[in-house]
Structures are given as C-alpha cells and as structure tokens.
Amino acid sequence: MLRALQDLTVCISPTVSPSTCELDPRKWHRIEKELYQYTSQQSAWLYVALANEEELVVAEDLVVVDISVGERPPNPRSGHLWESRHGGIWVLRSEFSSRIDQAVTEVDVLFGVDAFDPRPQWALMESPLQLNAQPNVLVARLTVLHGRAQPRPDPAPLRVRKGKFKIVQISDTHMVTGVGVCKDAIDADRKDLPESEADPRTVKFIKEILDIEKPDLVILTGDQLHHGNSDSQTAILKVVAPMIERSIPFAAVFGNHDSEGIHALSRTAQMSILQNLPFSLCKSGLEQVDGIGNFYLQVLAPAPSQFPLSTLYFLDSHGQIPRIIHNPDYDPIKQSQIDWFTNTSQAQRKAREKDNHNNPFYLPVAFQHIPIPEFGDKDLRIHTGHRREPTEGPRFNSHFYDALAKEGILALCCGHDHVNNFCGLLPQQMQQDSDETPQLGPWLCYGGCSGFGAYCSYNSKRFHRQMRVLELDTNTGSLNTWMRVEYNTDRVDERVLVESGAVVDPLREENKGRSCVETWKKVIHLGPPRLR
C-alpha cells in the first residue's frame, strides 16, 4: 500500500537511548538511523508522518510535495509557503490532488560527503542536515523519492556475446560510511604515498576498470564493507553505483567483515538491499542451506536459446570464529552447502544431457570470499601470479574441494587474502569410487584487493590494487584470465586456464616445450645428414 509523506522533522534527545522525543507514535515513524552516528552523548533522529493513499483521497489532507535543506527556504520570492522544521529542513506542502507522483512518498538518510544514491527516482540532497555536530561527525544527507517507485524489472538472462562472456571480479573493497583512510598506497614507481581518502579512490579505480573491460557481469567476492560500519546502506550503495550507472549486471557474496560491528546490518538485511537494486542478480538462497547468498546463475547461449553454456556458483563462506589454539580461525563451508551445490550441479548436468544442443563445452566456475584450506596446500603449484602472504582460512577441512573436483568445476575464485593474486593447481587426483582418469582441477584463484580502505601490504612491502578478469569462450571451450592493476594499461599475468572444456595441465605444456627444445638442440648439434 503506497503512502505519502505528510510531514517530517528532526528530534534531538539528550540521551542516545531511549529517545525522549514527544511525538505521537500513532502518527510519527522513526527512520532507524542515528544522525550523529553514535558519536555523541545525545542522539538525533529523523521522524516522518505518513498517510495511506486511500486515506488522503477522502481527507484531502496536506502532503509534502518538496523538501529542501539549508539556512533559508529556496527561492522565497516564488510565493510558495515553505515551512521550517528542525535540522535546517524546509517542507513545501499542498492539498493532495489524487496524483501521487507529485507527493514525496519516501525519505531516507545517507551519510558522508561521498554518499551516492543510484536508486532510480531517488534524489540525494547536496546540503546536509544542520545538526550542530562536532567536526568529526559525518554529515547526514536526506535522499527523497517522489511518487510511485517503478517496480524493478526482471533482469535479462546472462548470455554469451559472439561466443564470449567476460567477468570482472572485484574483491575486498572495504567501503566505509564516509571517505575512509588509505594508509598504504603507492605510485606508479612503487614509491609510498601519504595517507589519503580511501573510498573515492576505490570508486575511481572500479570505474576505470569497468570502462576498459566492459564486462558482461561483475562479481563482488566479499568484504564489500569494512568492519564496524555505522551505516551499511551508505557503503553498499557506493560499491554498486559504478555498475548501476553503466547498466552492468552484478552478483555478490559476503565476506567475513561485511556484517561485523554492533551497528552493521545483518547479511539478511544487506541482501535485501542488494536484491532490490537495478541490475542486481543477487539471491538469498534456500533457507535450509547455511549462510546467506548460496545461489547460482546460468550463462545462456545466444537468444532465443535457453541452453546453459556455463553455471556460476556463489557461496557464503561465513566469518571468523573464536579459537584458543588457532587465531584467527574461520567457519568452513557447511555440509548443507556442499549438498546443495552437489545436488544443483547434478541437476544441471541431467538437464543438459536431455537438451540436444550442438555446443559440447560447459564452463562452470565457483565464487566465495574466504579460501578453502587447499589454497594453502604445500603441494599447490602456482602457475600465474604470486603468493605474497600465507593463506588464511578455516582450519577444519570440510572437503568442499573434493565436491568441486567431482562435479567438474573449472575454477574457484576467492578474495580475503589481499595481496595474493595467484592461480594454482593441485596434482591430479583419482576420485573416490571412480575408474576414470585422474582429474585435474579446479584452478584455485585469488582476486587480489581492489579497495584502498583495505590493507594492501605485507611485511612492510606495499602492492598495487588490482582486479581479476575472467573470459569464457564458449566456441573453443576456453577460460582465460588476467589481472588489471593500478597504473598498468596492459593485462598482467594473463593465462589460459581451460582449453576445449578441460583444465590445462601447465606441467604437460612445459614438458612439451622442453622436449621440443631438446630435439631442436640435437638437430643443431648433429648438423645435416652426411651423403653416402
């Protein structure tokens, strides 16, 4: 049921909790965002008075048709009767004319000079509320919706274009409420830079890479938010704004920091925000599966075909858990998640087998935030990129890797360990209860760190921020990857991970190369054959 705004005001209370505002709770509703961001001994809250559209038609009450913030009303000579409210708010009200599109229907609050509201029809005000706050308190800014919000259109299916599908993996943006602080940036020559604002640099970096790569999909692989955010919504909207501005579909998994902090929104609440944004493909997942955000997306053949050429799996890797012996330690992927993944993968395979499609290649890839224990395995061979810090993940191995290998997943892409950016392979292994040839893969790949508010250094050595790019070629059955790095206009550490639908064996390729070189050397050494 649509409601229109009849009034709004700011109420300041001498205590943080409980509020002492003397407003009729039957009429006034509090926006649950403390305007001082819990930095003061007093508290300030925005209250709104709302009325249902049906009630207004009968009562012909006044409704708010415009809002402004400032010391003076806008254009006082216009003849409009602007009314003053606490916090520097000015409201313009008129009788409801049965046209809901002229009325203000929702008001929200975002924080910081760098706040951005990419939601359609919402307008974020430049001038902040006047709260007489201390200089260190983030400014609070109203964002306003007029009329009936258009329903979010169903996202278009993901499809290959000219046989290819490109993904940009953005990991560990670590956005905050406000601009944040970057403590370990370096310039193009790798010289240390002084501390600077973090989030504006992160947003700029994301925009640059999206404009270079023009991906079909962006995947956020966790820790979109830094721990202890005072307003999760403000930070989330900053992260996704570059994709929404460019009409690029995006999906996300949560990291260990996203929901940390006494004022941070829960994973459920954050997922609700994400799901309602334009171009979002995020899903909560089944309730009976542990975590929030276990889901999959299919990449289809060109229209009108409904045949999947790739399935992308997304899993909630949970967060840090208390341990006495090993600190830090993390929750492993749960058995309910492994069962969900296995059942989903097998159902996908059966559906493909029933469909008579002429494309023989199928390219499934998985994404989560915290790496599984195999990323730190002593037998893991790194074939592109670098291990610059130890793998930090769950001590308990729930053997999700075995399920990925058995189901033919070609790569598992993670974040979390910010300065690692490698792709590696474990030796071929025989699957249990199988007579098939020992299986190679999946590739285990890190996405690097893209956020300037996150650490990007180890043992006092600083590194550039970066993102991973994955390109599926469904015509040749290949998966290619490379990194996009600050200041570098070229692809970095480019590598073919999959050819003809199968994981590439780098050691076999290297041995082939050595064999060719040795043969060539022998030919040169022996010289031309003698005439007899």
Side-chain angles (χ1 to χ4, degrees):
M1 184 179 296
L2 193 61
R3 297 185 294 179
L5 200 73
Q6 292 190 290
D7 207 347
L8 76 162
T9 190
V10 169
C11 182
I12 297 177
S13 174
T15 59
V16 174
S17 182
S19 173
T20 58
C21 289
E22 296 180 356
L23 295 173
D24 186 351
R26 293 170 298 179
K27 176 182 177 182
W28 292 91
H29 307 274
R30 191 172 81 175
I31 304 297
E32 292 302 321
K33 294 188 176 184
E34 205 283 297
L35 301 179
Y36 290 133
Q37 293 284 276
Y38 307 99
T39 60
S40 173
Q41 292 183 345
Q42 58 184 356
S43 62
W45 303 89
L46 180 68
Y47 282 81
V48 296
L50 297 165
N52 295 330
E53 184 178 6
E54 290 79 2
E55 297 172 351
L56 291 169
V57 172
V58 176
E60 295 185 350
D61 287 334
L62 294 178
V63 296
V64 176
V65 294
D66 205 358
I67 300 173
S68 182
V69 177
E71 293 182 0
R72 297 180 178 85
N75 194 11
R77 297 179 181 178
S78 64
H80 294 309
L81 297 177
W82 288 90
E83 303 173 55
S84 176
R85 299 290 184 267
H86 293 303
I89 297 174
W90 296 88
V91 297
L92 182 62
R93 299 196 296 171
S94 69
E95 290 185 358
F96 183 63
S97 63
S98 76
R99 293 186 60 185
I100 195 69
D101 58 306
Q102 294 181 349
V104 173
T105 52
E106 288 189 59
V107 177
D108 203 348
V109 183
L110 300 178
F111 296 89
V113 295
D114 65 329
F116 192 88
D117 195 340
R119 295 175 294 179
Q121 301 172 254
W122 285 82
L124 178 64
M125 296 189 173
E126 289 293 330
S127 299
L129 294 174
Q130 298 175 6
L131 302 172
N132 298 319
Q134 295 297 317
N136 63 321
V137 178
L138 294 171
V139 295
R141 299 162 62 189
L142 298 184
T143 182
V144 177
L145 174 68
H146 276 84
R148 196 183 307 273
Q150 297 300 315
R152 192 183 80 112
D154 291 333
L158 299 175
R159 294 187 182 276
V160 298
R161 295 184 297 174
K162 298 180 180 179
K164 293 186 177 181
F165 188 85
K166 185 185 289 185
I167 299 167
V168 168
Q169 177 192 356
I170 301 177
S171 197
D172 294 275
T173 53
H174 282 260
M175 292 287 197
V176 298
T177 312
V179 296
V181 180
C182 177
K183 300 180 179 181
D184 59 1
I186 50 178
D187 64 16
D189 299 318
R190 298 185 179 275
K191 294 180 180 178
D192 292 359
L193 292 173
E195 289 189 2
S196 62
E197 294 180 349
D199 287 6
R201 293 191 65 171
T202 301
V203 171
K204 180 175 180 289
F205 184 42
I206 292 173
K207 290 180 177 180
E208 289 173 352
I209 302 307
L210 295 184
D211 290 340
I212 291 171
E213 292 293 353
K214 296 178 172 56
D216 301 292
L217 176 67
V218 168
I219 297 178
L220 301 163
T221 49
D223 281 1
Q224 284 76 253
L225 311 189
H226 201 53
H227 61 83
N229 253 293
S230 55
D231 186 59
S232 301
Q233 184 186 29
T234 294
I236 289 172
L237 294 180
K238 289 194 293 185
V239 176
V240 300
M243 285 77 83
I244 295 174
E245 288 175 322
R246 290 160 178 76
S247 303
I248 301 173
F250 65 92
V253 294
F254 291 123
N256 51 297
H257 289 306
D258 284 304
S259 53
E260 283 184 342
I262 58 175
H263 302 300
L265 291 179
S266 68
R267 278 160 142 76
T268 301
Q270 290 187 39
M271 181 58 76
S272 178
I273 293 173
L274 289 167
Q275 285 182 285
N276 287 302
L277 291 172
F279 304 103
S280 171
L281 300 175
C282 301
K283 300 177 184 178
S284 293
L286 300 174
E287 289 185 6
Q288 61 267 36
V289 179
D290 287 285
I292 303 295
N294 301 292
F295 64 102
Y296 71 92
L297 299 172
Q298 291 183 321
V299 181
L300 305 179
S305 174
Q306 296 299 308
F307 189 76
L309 301 178
S310 172
T311 300
L312 309 175
Y313 294 93
F314 303 85
L315 293 102
D316 185 352
S317 57
H318 313 295
Q320 191 169 335
I321 55 176
R323 281 288 186 271
I324 297 176
I325 300 176
H326 301 291
N327 189 29
D329 197 1
Y330 299 86
D331 251 345
I333 296 295
K334 306 293 187 178
Q335 189 60 48
S336 66
Q337 295 175 282
I338 298 174
D339 293 342
W340 164 81
F341 161 75
T342 301
N343 294 336
T344 303
S345 175
Q346 292 175 357
Q348 296 287 319
R349 184 186 302 111
K350 290 178 182 177
R352 282 178 53 83
E353 291 170 352
K354 289 181 180 178
D355 197 323
N356 228 352
H357 197 272
N358 57 6
N359 192 311
F361 302 123
Y362 180 57
L363 305 171
V365 183
F367 298 87
Q368 64 184 61
H369 177 68
I370 299 174
I372 57 178
E374 283 77 7
F375 274 78
D377 195 296
K378 61 180 178 59
D379 294 324
L380 184 75
R381 287 181 174 269
I382 295 173
H383 297 285
T384 181
H386 307 277
R387 182 191 293 281
R388 293 164 171 158
E389 63 176 313
T391 289
E392 190 176 277
R395 301 287 177 171
F396 177 77
N397 194 333
S398 59
H399 301 290
F400 183 43
Y401 178 90
D402 296 339
L404 294 169
K406 187 174 182 180
E407 293 302 317
I409 299 299
L410 301 174
L412 172 63
C413 300
C414 296
H416 189 61
D417 298 323
H418 295 187
V419 297
N420 287 341
N421 64 353
F422 66 76
C423 282
L425 281 174
L426 287 173
Q428 288 181 326
Q429 61 177 356
M430 180 74 75
Q431 294 297 323
Q432 293 181 354
D433 305 323
S434 175
D435 296 327
E436 298 178 4
T437 305
Q439 192 167 346
L440 188 64
W443 283 94
L444 302 179
C445 295
Y446 277 110
C449 171
S450 60
F452 287 82
Y455 79 86
C456 202
S457 57
Y458 193 76
N459 282 342
S460 300
K461 185 175 182 179
R462 300 184 181 188
F463 302 96
H464 287 127
R465 269 70 181 179
Q466 55 196 291
M467 301 177 196
R468 180 167 297 283
V469 183
L470 299 158
E471 186 174 65
L472 309 175
D473 189 327
T474 57
N475 290 332
T476 62
S478 66
L479 172 59
N480 193 20
T481 188
W482 59 90
M483 302 301 293
R484 282 293 180 183
V485 183
E486 282 183 273
Y487 306 111
N488 201 322
T489 58
D490 299 321
R491 298 176 178 182
V492 176
D493 292 334
E494 187 168 7
R495 180 91 200 191
V496 177
L497 305 180
V498 175
E499 286 182 335
S500 299
V503 170
V504 171
D505 185 348
L507 294 179
R508 185 178 299 172
E509 297 298 317
E510 291 172 10
N511 290 335
K512 282 183 182 179
R514 291 194 192 100
S515 177
C516 291
V517 171
E518 292 301 321
T519 302
W520 178 78
K521 285 181 178 178
K522 288 179 181 178
V523 171
I524 296 298
H525 176 72
L526 293 173
R530 294 180 180 178
L531 296 175
R532 293 192 180 185

